[in-house]
Amino acid sequence: MTLIAKVADVLLELPARSEIIYRVARRIVNRWQGENDCRMWRNGEVRLMRHVVPGARVVFDVGANVGEWAREALRLRPDVQLHCFEPSPVTFRLLSANNFPPNVRINNAGLGAEPGTLELFIYSDASEVNSFYNRRGTDAVAQRTEKVAIVTLDDYAATHGIDHIDFVKVDVEGHESAVINGARRLLDEGRIDMLQFEYGGCYIDARVLLKDIWDMVHSLRSRYRFYKLLPHRLQPVPEYRQTFENLQYANYLLVHESALAKVERL
């Protein structure tokens, strides 16, 4: 065994013997892999926004909650046509209290694969973990459910005469695959430049995999490339690997081939 290998073995023993060292090592790994940090100011989301939103004309905030992401988008591009979706009536009232300008349309509805209604599990008012799926096996306990309206992104765009969308942010606690499937026509025709979506433990409750989204996107006529959002860069994902299915919180980005120049310096 080489000296380097011996030193490595000694160092690797430290996290196994010390919880503090383990926690520090885990945070370093999470930071390196862009995982388990939902703070948009640190995990690469705002960095991406600052790069693409100023040049955008039409932006969608799917899972708007109380409007933190929307407020940052407006700060970056005050005249952007911003469409926000928040299904919970209580949270929607807080979103409405932002008194957004007329170029912002807020919708008290969720997006999905098909129109209709769904039960939304409420863990607390305005919670970011409220979900269409019951989070079993976690510390979260649903206080109640709310019946909410669901529309598809394809239908919404057609109804409102939206021909092209520059950027879509999807943060819907496990419902991401359904939202993306409800935008199949727009994606197939290449009418969405970029779509950012969340991945994580909620996919257990939704019983979907990252592979489901990968396969759907790669079945389209239009060509999109996958990236993983890291704190300081975009990591290209040229092929699917089963090791991606670790169910750790992360954000991924779809970029249409015609919009690749917009992220080339990221």
Side-chain angles (χ1 to χ4, degrees), residues 151-171:
V151 299
T152 71
L153 203 157
D154 280 338
D155 289 348
Y156 181 91
T159 299
H160 292 88
I162 299 171
D163 293 325
H164 190 89
I165 304 171
D166 297 283
F167 192 89
V168 180
K169 182 272 281 181
V170 185
D171 177 359

Side-chain angles (χ1 to χ4, degrees), residues 62-63 111-113 128 130-133 169-183 187 195-203 206 208-210 213 216 249-252 254:
V62 184
L111 292 184
E128 294 181 350
N130 292 340
S131 173
F132 291 117
Y133 309 96
K169 182 272 281 181
V170 185
D171 177 359
V172 287
E173 301 304 307
H175 206 56
E176 286 78 8
S177 179
V179 172
I180 294 170
N181 272 281
L187 291 166
L195 187 150
Q196 174 194 325
F197 66 95
E198 185 179 286
Y199 169 83
C202 291
Y203 280 45
V208 297
L209 298 170
L210 182 62
I213 298 174
M216 190 280 281
Y249 172 91
N251 281 283
Y252 285 85
L254 305 177

Side-chain angles (χ1 to χ4, degrees), residues 106-250:
I106 57 174
N107 299 276
N108 189 194
L111 292 184
E114 56 187 28
T117 59
L118 286 175
E119 293 289 332
L120 180 68
F121 288 88
I122 303 298
Y123 295 95
S124 63
D125 288 340
S127 171
E128 294 181 350
V129 301
N130 292 340
S131 173
F132 291 117
Y133 309 96
N134 195 1
R135 302 299 316 279
R136 299 185 186 279
T138 72
D139 293 333
V141 178
Q143 297 180 356
R144 65 183 188 278
T145 61
E146 297 174 347
K147 184 167 287 189
V148 301
I150 300 295
V151 299
T152 71
L153 203 157
D154 280 338
D155 289 348
Y156 181 91
T159 299
H160 292 88
I162 299 171
D163 293 325
H164 190 89
I165 304 171
D166 297 283
F167 192 89
V168 180
K169 182 272 281 181
V170 185
D171 177 359
V172 287
E173 301 304 307
H175 206 56
E176 286 78 8
S177 179
V179 172
I180 294 170
N181 272 281
R184 180 184 288 270
R185 184 168 65 246
L186 288 165
L187 291 166
D188 192 58
E189 296 171 359
R191 294 196 284 134
I192 297 176
D193 280 353
M194 300 182 208
L195 187 150
Q196 174 194 325
F197 66 95
E198 185 179 286
Y199 169 83
C202 291
Y203 280 45
I204 297 174
D205 309 292
R207 289 173 170 75
V208 297
L209 298 170
L210 182 62
K211 185 178 186 296
D212 297 321
I213 298 174
W214 179 277
D215 288 345
M216 190 280 281
V217 171
H218 282 82
S219 72
L220 301 171
R221 291 177 299 171
S222 291
R223 291 290 160 246
Y224 285 84
R225 296 194 189 178
F226 272 73
Y227 295 85
K228 186 177 183 181
L229 240 65
L230 303 183
H232 303 297
R233 65 185 177 95
L234 284 180
Q235 176 179 295
V237 184
E239 63 177 350
Y240 173 81
R241 304 292 296 175
Q242 290 188 0
T243 52
F244 298 158
E245 304 287 3
N246 61 7
L247 299 169
Q248 303 300 299
Y249 172 91

